[in-house]
Amino acid sequence: LQSIASADMDLNQLEAFLTAQTKKQGGITSDQAAVIAKFWKNHRIKIHESLINQSRWDNVLKNMNWRVDLKSQSRHIDQINTPVAIVEMELGKNGQESEFLCLEFDEAKVSQMLKKLSEIEESMTLL
């Protein structure tokens, strides 16, 4: 069952795997294979989600809100009335209390962030 879950087998892969296990010396019986197949068909999504949740190291992004403000106060006069992006992220694991992270970006930092996100998107597309 561990091999089936870690590979997230579809029904064709499951059938081939269980057939191989029944033919293997000291393997499972055809009745056991039928029970495993039925169990996997009924609980595949729950098992897969559980494995994903267990493999996460840290919090996940639950929600994100943003707005653009104008600075009305600053240590430097040239920064007054410049636009800033305020980004609030809700982080946490399911079933646990969330943490909130608030970030402030000027125009240069927003451009830098968009560039990095674009690089991430390209990397994911290549995979």
Side-chain angles (χ1 to χ4, degrees):
L1 195 57
Q2 185 176 9
S3 298
I4 296 167
S6 63
D8 192 28
M9 292 183 185
D10 62 25
L11 296 180
N12 292 330
Q13 292 170 323
L14 175 66
E15 185 178 331
F17 178 77
L18 291 176
T19 300
Q21 294 301 312
T22 58
K23 293 179 180 179
K24 188 172 158 183
Q25 180 69 29
I28 60 176
T29 67
S30 58
D31 289 339
Q32 290 171 326
V35 170
I36 292 170
K38 184 176 180 180
F39 178 80
W40 182 247
K41 288 175 189 175
N42 291 332
H43 299 288
R44 176 183 179 192
I45 294 170
K46 290 178 188 175
I47 293 169
H48 184 69
E49 287 175 358
S50 176
L51 287 174
I52 288 172
N53 287 334
Q54 289 175 19
S55 67
R56 288 189 180 133
W57 294 340
D58 290 321
N59 296 330
V60 296
L61 180 63
K62 288 182 164 183
N63 192 17
M64 184 174 82
N65 296 307
W66 63 273
R67 70 177 191 269
V68 175
D69 287 348
L70 289 176
K71 277 192 177 186
S72 60
Q73 294 180 352
S74 179
R75 291 182 189 170
H76 306 286
I77 233 168
D78 61 331
Q79 291 181 346
I80 295 178
N81 291 328
T82 59
V84 291
I86 309 295
V87 178
E88 183 181 76
M89 293 184 249
E90 181 182 0
L91 307 170
K93 290 188 177 185
N94 291 333
Q96 294 182 359
E97 192 172 325
S98 296
E99 296 178 21
F100 292 88
L101 177 64
C102 190
L103 303 168
E104 183 178 302
F105 297 96
D106 61 12
E107 192 173 352
K109 289 294 182 188
V110 169
S111 294
Q112 183 182 6
M113 174 77 85
L114 290 173
K115 182 181 177 202
K116 291 292 184 185
L117 288 172
S118 178
E119 291 172 10
I120 292 170
E121 182 180 35
E122 288 175 19
S123 294
M124 290 178 78
T125 301
L126 290 174
L127 292 175

